[in-house]
mmCIF file of all heavy atoms in Angstrom:
data_model
loop_
_atom_site.group_PDB
_atom_site.id
_atom_site.type_symbol
_atom_site.label_atom_id
_atom_site.label_comp_id
_atom_site.label_asym_id
_atom_site.label_seq_id
_atom_site.Cartn_x
_atom_site.Cartn_y
_atom_site.Cartn_z
ATOM 1 N N ALA O 1 -16.888 -46.920 -49.064
ATOM 2 C CA ALA O 1 -16.759 -45.863 -50.078
ATOM 3 C C ALA O 1 -17.999 -45.656 -50.889
ATOM 4 O O ALA O 1 -18.411 -44.557 -51.153
ATOM 5 C CB ALA O 1 -15.550 -46.094 -50.958
ATOM 6 N N LEU O 2 -18.545 -46.815 -51.332
ATOM 7 C CA LEU O 2 -19.812 -46.691 -52.079
ATOM 8 C C LEU O 2 -20.991 -46.173 -51.263
ATOM 9 O O LEU O 2 -21.802 -45.342 -51.734
ATOM 10 C CB LEU O 2 -20.161 -48.036 -52.752
ATOM 11 C CG LEU O 2 -19.247 -48.501 -53.855
ATOM 12 C CD1 LEU O 2 -19.680 -49.906 -54.320
ATOM 13 C CD2 LEU O 2 -19.427 -47.493 -55.056
ATOM 14 N N GLN O 3 -21.052 -46.510 -50.013
ATOM 15 C CA GLN O 3 -22.069 -46.048 -49.122
ATOM 16 C C GLN O 3 -21.883 -44.483 -48.897
ATOM 17 O O GLN O 3 -22.911 -43.768 -48.906
ATOM 18 C CB GLN O 3 -22.058 -46.801 -47.826
ATOM 19 C CG GLN O 3 -22.635 -48.119 -47.845
ATOM 20 C CD GLN O 3 -22.485 -48.875 -46.461
ATOM 21 O OE1 GLN O 3 -21.675 -48.471 -45.679
ATOM 22 N NE2 GLN O 3 -23.266 -49.903 -46.302
ATOM 23 N N ALA O 4 -20.688 -44.114 -48.739
ATOM 24 C CA ALA O 4 -20.485 -42.675 -48.607
ATOM 25 C C ALA O 4 -20.788 -41.946 -49.845
ATOM 26 O O ALA O 4 -21.398 -40.857 -49.802
ATOM 27 C CB ALA O 4 -18.981 -42.424 -48.222
ATOM 28 N N LEU O 5 -20.499 -42.499 -51.007
ATOM 29 C CA LEU O 5 -20.804 -41.916 -52.281
ATOM 30 C C LEU O 5 -22.320 -41.756 -52.460
ATOM 31 O O LEU O 5 -22.832 -40.715 -53.005
ATOM 32 C CB LEU O 5 -20.193 -42.790 -53.430
ATOM 33 C CG LEU O 5 -20.160 -42.110 -54.833
ATOM 34 C CD1 LEU O 5 -19.377 -40.739 -54.785
ATOM 35 C CD2 LEU O 5 -19.579 -43.033 -55.764
ATOM 36 N N GLU O 6 -23.075 -42.748 -51.994
ATOM 37 C CA GLU O 6 -24.527 -42.740 -52.086
ATOM 38 C C GLU O 6 -25.132 -41.594 -51.248
ATOM 39 O O GLU O 6 -26.189 -41.192 -51.491
ATOM 40 C CB GLU O 6 -25.070 -44.047 -51.541
ATOM 41 C CG GLU O 6 -25.022 -45.166 -52.493
ATOM 42 C CD GLU O 6 -25.567 -46.464 -51.858
ATOM 43 O OE1 GLU O 6 -25.862 -46.539 -50.616
ATOM 44 O OE2 GLU O 6 -25.822 -47.463 -52.600
ATOM 45 N N GLN O 7 -24.405 -41.178 -50.200
ATOM 46 C CA GLN O 7 -24.993 -40.158 -49.372
ATOM 47 C C GLN O 7 -24.879 -38.783 -49.927
ATOM 48 O O GLN O 7 -25.398 -37.774 -49.355
ATOM 49 C CB GLN O 7 -24.351 -40.236 -47.951
ATOM 50 C CG GLN O 7 -24.674 -41.520 -47.211
ATOM 51 C CD GLN O 7 -24.076 -41.539 -45.813
ATOM 52 O OE1 GLN O 7 -23.835 -40.588 -45.180
ATOM 53 N NE2 GLN O 7 -23.886 -42.807 -45.387
ATOM 54 N N LEU O 8 -24.074 -38.583 -51.011
ATOM 55 C CA LEU O 8 -24.001 -37.297 -51.644
ATOM 56 C C LEU O 8 -25.205 -37.055 -52.520
ATOM 57 O O LEU O 8 -25.744 -37.928 -53.139
ATOM 58 C CB LEU O 8 -22.741 -37.282 -52.523
ATOM 59 C CG LEU O 8 -21.374 -37.447 -51.946
ATOM 60 C CD1 LEU O 8 -20.241 -37.446 -52.954
ATOM 61 C CD2 LEU O 8 -21.123 -36.421 -50.779
ATOM 62 N N PRO O 9 -25.594 -35.790 -52.543
ATOM 63 C CA PRO O 9 -26.628 -35.344 -53.433
ATOM 64 C C PRO O 9 -26.322 -35.725 -54.926
ATOM 65 O O PRO O 9 -25.119 -35.758 -55.286
ATOM 66 C CB PRO O 9 -26.798 -33.829 -53.265
ATOM 67 C CG PRO O 9 -26.073 -33.552 -51.998
ATOM 68 C CD PRO O 9 -25.022 -34.591 -51.828
ATOM 69 N N PRO O 10 -27.327 -35.906 -55.751
ATOM 70 C CA PRO O 10 -27.014 -36.358 -57.137
ATOM 71 C C PRO O 10 -26.047 -35.488 -57.975
ATOM 72 O O PRO O 10 -25.191 -36.028 -58.509
ATOM 73 C CB PRO O 10 -28.404 -36.281 -57.851
ATOM 74 C CG PRO O 10 -29.367 -36.422 -56.631
ATOM 75 C CD PRO O 10 -28.698 -35.768 -55.483
ATOM 76 N N ARG O 11 -26.204 -34.202 -57.866
ATOM 77 C CA ARG O 11 -25.288 -33.288 -58.655
ATOM 78 C C ARG O 11 -23.815 -33.475 -58.123
ATOM 79 O O ARG O 11 -22.914 -33.507 -58.916
ATOM 80 C CB ARG O 11 -25.803 -31.819 -58.601
ATOM 81 C CG ARG O 11 -24.837 -30.846 -59.181
ATOM 82 C CD ARG O 11 -24.761 -30.840 -60.652
ATOM 83 N NE ARG O 11 -25.941 -30.212 -61.192
ATOM 84 C CZ ARG O 11 -26.107 -29.900 -62.482
ATOM 85 N NH1 ARG O 11 -25.276 -30.333 -63.313
ATOM 86 N NH2 ARG O 11 -27.166 -29.326 -62.831
ATOM 87 N N MET O 12 -23.695 -33.403 -56.820
ATOM 88 C CA MET O 12 -22.418 -33.449 -56.155
ATOM 89 C C MET O 12 -21.779 -34.860 -56.548
ATOM 90 O O MET O 12 -20.579 -34.983 -56.790
ATOM 91 C CB MET O 12 -22.491 -33.297 -54.650
ATOM 92 C CG MET O 12 -21.191 -33.143 -53.887
ATOM 93 S SD MET O 12 -21.484 -32.932 -52.114
ATOM 94 C CE MET O 12 -22.223 -31.272 -52.121
ATOM 95 N N ARG O 13 -22.584 -35.830 -56.446
ATOM 96 C CA ARG O 13 -22.034 -37.207 -56.681
ATOM 97 C C ARG O 13 -21.608 -37.327 -58.213
ATOM 98 O O ARG O 13 -20.556 -37.871 -58.511
ATOM 99 C CB ARG O 13 -23.103 -38.233 -56.512
ATOM 100 C CG ARG O 13 -22.797 -39.642 -56.706
ATOM 101 C CD ARG O 13 -23.928 -40.516 -56.391
ATOM 102 N NE ARG O 13 -23.631 -41.925 -56.546
ATOM 103 C CZ ARG O 13 -24.296 -42.864 -56.002
ATOM 104 N NH1 ARG O 13 -25.420 -42.672 -55.360
ATOM 105 N NH2 ARG O 13 -23.941 -44.115 -56.257
ATOM 106 N N ALA O 14 -22.400 -36.708 -59.139
ATOM 107 C CA ALA O 14 -21.982 -36.785 -60.543
ATOM 108 C C ALA O 14 -20.645 -35.953 -60.759
ATOM 109 O O ALA O 14 -19.808 -36.435 -61.467
ATOM 110 C CB ALA O 14 -23.093 -36.129 -61.376
ATOM 111 N N VAL O 15 -20.500 -34.813 -60.000
ATOM 112 C CA VAL O 15 -19.225 -34.148 -60.160
ATOM 113 C C VAL O 15 -18.041 -34.928 -59.708
ATOM 114 O O VAL O 15 -17.072 -35.075 -60.343
ATOM 115 C CB VAL O 15 -19.287 -32.730 -59.432
ATOM 116 C CG1 VAL O 15 -17.886 -32.136 -59.302
ATOM 117 C CG2 VAL O 15 -20.238 -31.784 -60.102
ATOM 118 N N VAL O 16 -18.228 -35.593 -58.518
ATOM 119 C CA VAL O 16 -17.126 -36.392 -57.919
ATOM 120 C C VAL O 16 -16.788 -37.553 -58.833
ATOM 121 O O VAL O 16 -15.586 -37.773 -59.174
ATOM 122 C CB VAL O 16 -17.510 -36.893 -56.534
ATOM 123 C CG1 VAL O 16 -16.526 -37.876 -56.076
ATOM 124 C CG2 VAL O 16 -17.605 -35.740 -55.575
ATOM 125 N N VAL O 17 -17.834 -38.238 -59.372
ATOM 126 C CA VAL O 17 -17.551 -39.407 -60.311
ATOM 127 C C VAL O 17 -16.842 -38.920 -61.585
ATOM 128 O O VAL O 17 -15.913 -39.497 -61.996
ATOM 129 C CB VAL O 17 -18.905 -40.097 -60.633
ATOM 130 C CG1 VAL O 17 -18.679 -41.091 -61.778
ATOM 131 C CG2 VAL O 17 -19.461 -40.788 -59.444
ATOM 132 N N LEU O 18 -17.355 -37.821 -62.164
ATOM 133 C CA LEU O 18 -16.810 -37.395 -63.435
ATOM 134 C C LEU O 18 -15.327 -36.795 -63.248
ATOM 135 O O LEU O 18 -14.436 -37.086 -64.061
ATOM 136 C CB LEU O 18 -17.622 -36.232 -64.056
ATOM 137 C CG LEU O 18 -19.021 -36.768 -64.562
ATOM 138 C CD1 LEU O 18 -19.840 -35.609 -65.057
ATOM 139 C CD2 LEU O 18 -18.848 -37.767 -65.643
ATOM 140 N N ARG O 19 -15.108 -36.129 -62.106
ATOM 141 C CA ARG O 19 -13.732 -35.622 -61.871
ATOM 142 C C ARG O 19 -12.766 -36.640 -61.425
ATOM 143 O O ARG O 19 -11.672 -36.778 -61.920
ATOM 144 C CB ARG O 19 -13.867 -34.468 -60.759
ATOM 145 C CG ARG O 19 -14.520 -33.201 -61.216
ATOM 146 C CD ARG O 19 -13.592 -32.272 -62.052
ATOM 147 N NE ARG O 19 -12.538 -31.845 -61.240
ATOM 148 C CZ ARG O 19 -11.302 -31.840 -61.638
ATOM 149 N NH1 ARG O 19 -10.961 -32.334 -62.828
ATOM 150 N NH2 ARG O 19 -10.310 -31.370 -60.916
ATOM 151 N N CYS O 20 -13.141 -37.460 -60.422
ATOM 152 C CA CYS O 20 -12.254 -38.383 -59.766
ATOM 153 C C CYS O 20 -12.134 -39.749 -60.547
ATOM 154 O O CYS O 20 -11.105 -40.356 -60.611
ATOM 155 C CB CYS O 20 -12.556 -38.604 -58.399
ATOM 156 S SG CYS O 20 -12.553 -37.038 -57.414
ATOM 157 N N TYR O 21 -13.252 -40.239 -60.981
ATOM 158 C CA TYR O 21 -13.210 -41.559 -61.668
ATOM 159 C C TYR O 21 -12.923 -41.446 -63.135
ATOM 160 O O TYR O 21 -12.091 -42.137 -63.642
ATOM 161 C CB TYR O 21 -14.506 -42.324 -61.342
ATOM 162 C CG TYR O 21 -14.534 -43.681 -62.051
ATOM 163 C CD1 TYR O 21 -13.792 -44.742 -61.512
ATOM 164 C CD2 TYR O 21 -15.161 -43.887 -63.168
ATOM 165 C CE1 TYR O 21 -13.739 -45.972 -62.166
ATOM 166 C CE2 TYR O 21 -15.157 -45.120 -63.826
ATOM 167 C CZ TYR O 21 -14.460 -46.153 -63.304
ATOM 168 O OH TYR O 21 -14.389 -47.383 -63.927
ATOM 169 N N GLU O 22 -13.680 -40.570 -63.785
ATOM 170 C CA GLU O 22 -13.482 -40.413 -65.183
ATOM 171 C C GLU O 22 -12.262 -39.566 -65.552
ATOM 172 O O GLU O 22 -11.863 -39.584 -66.686
ATOM 173 C CB GLU O 22 -14.762 -39.796 -65.838
ATOM 174 C CG GLU O 22 -15.876 -40.807 -65.952
ATOM 175 C CD GLU O 22 -15.598 -41.750 -67.101
ATOM 176 O OE1 GLU O 22 -15.561 -41.403 -68.288
ATOM 177 O OE2 GLU O 22 -15.401 -42.929 -66.719
ATOM 178 N N GLY O 23 -11.815 -38.763 -64.525
ATOM 179 C CA GLY O 23 -10.629 -37.939 -64.817
ATOM 180 C C GLY O 23 -10.871 -36.727 -65.752
ATOM 181 O O GLY O 23 -9.984 -36.235 -66.378
ATOM 182 N N LEU O 24 -12.086 -36.206 -65.811
ATOM 183 C CA LEU O 24 -12.390 -35.058 -66.558
ATOM 184 C C LEU O 24 -11.890 -33.781 -65.891
ATOM 185 O O LEU O 24 -11.767 -33.714 -64.647
ATOM 186 C CB LEU O 24 -13.884 -34.932 -66.751
ATOM 187 C CG LEU O 24 -14.597 -36.026 -67.560
ATOM 188 C CD1 LEU O 24 -16.065 -35.692 -67.723
ATOM 189 C CD2 LEU O 24 -14.006 -36.274 -68.930
ATOM 190 N N THR O 25 -11.550 -32.817 -66.699
ATOM 191 C CA THR O 25 -11.140 -31.545 -66.135
ATOM 192 C C THR O 25 -12.361 -30.847 -65.582
ATOM 193 O O THR O 25 -13.479 -31.276 -65.877
ATOM 194 C CB THR O 25 -10.464 -30.670 -67.243
ATOM 195 O OG1 THR O 25 -11.439 -30.307 -68.278
ATOM 196 C CG2 THR O 25 -9.247 -31.306 -67.894
ATOM 197 N N GLU O 26 -12.187 -29.763 -64.923
ATOM 198 C CA GLU O 26 -13.262 -28.934 -64.352
ATOM 199 C C GLU O 26 -14.139 -28.442 -65.478
ATOM 200 O O GLU O 26 -15.358 -28.471 -65.411
ATOM 201 C CB GLU O 26 -12.773 -27.842 -63.454
ATOM 202 C CG GLU O 26 -12.150 -28.304 -62.201
ATOM 203 C CD GLU O 26 -11.371 -27.271 -61.460
ATOM 204 O OE1 GLU O 26 -10.978 -26.301 -62.092
ATOM 205 O OE2 GLU O 26 -11.160 -27.463 -60.289
ATOM 206 N N ALA O 27 -13.501 -27.996 -66.566
ATOM 207 C CA ALA O 27 -14.254 -27.405 -67.784
ATOM 208 C C ALA O 27 -15.034 -28.510 -68.480
ATOM 209 O O ALA O 27 -16.170 -28.323 -68.793
ATOM 210 C CB ALA O 27 -13.262 -26.787 -68.720
ATOM 211 N N GLU O 28 -14.417 -29.690 -68.626
ATOM 212 C CA GLU O 28 -15.095 -30.787 -69.250
ATOM 213 C C GLU O 28 -16.333 -31.242 -68.395
ATOM 214 O O GLU O 28 -17.360 -31.506 -68.911
ATOM 215 C CB GLU O 28 -14.208 -31.978 -69.443
ATOM 216 C CG GLU O 28 -13.153 -31.699 -70.552
ATOM 217 C CD GLU O 28 -12.030 -32.834 -70.591
ATOM 218 O OE1 GLU O 28 -11.828 -33.439 -69.505
ATOM 219 O OE2 GLU O 28 -11.469 -32.925 -71.597
#
Protein backbone atom coordinates (compact mmCIF):
# COMPACT_ATOMS: atom_id res chain seq x y z
CA ALA A 1 0.00 0.00 0.00
CA LEU A 2 2.84 2.40 0.81
CA GLN A 3 4.61 1.51 -2.43
CA ALA A 4 1.41 2.18 -4.36
CA LEU A 5 0.97 5.49 -2.51
CA GLU A 6 4.55 6.45 -3.45
CA GLN A 7 3.71 6.04 -7.13
CA LEU A 8 1.09 8.79 -7.02
CA PRO A 9 2.10 12.32 -8.03
CA PRO A 10 2.65 14.65 -5.03
CA ARG A 11 -0.62 16.60 -5.32
CA MET A 12 -2.70 13.46 -5.82
CA ARG A 13 -0.94 11.77 -2.92
CA ALA A 14 -1.59 14.76 -0.66
CA VAL A 15 -5.29 14.70 -1.56
CA VAL A 16 -5.57 10.96 -0.84
CA VAL A 17 -3.74 11.30 2.49
CA LEU A 18 -5.79 14.30 3.61
CA ARG A 19 -9.13 12.82 2.50
CA CYS A 20 -8.67 9.17 3.46
CA TYR A 21 -6.23 9.23 6.37
CA GLU A 22 -6.93 12.61 7.96
CA GLY A 23 -10.65 12.40 7.16
CA LEU A 24 -10.93 15.96 5.87
CA THR A 25 -13.92 16.98 3.78
CA GLU A 26 -13.42 17.94 0.17
CA ALA A 27 -13.79 21.62 1.07
CA GLU A 28 -11.26 21.36 3.93
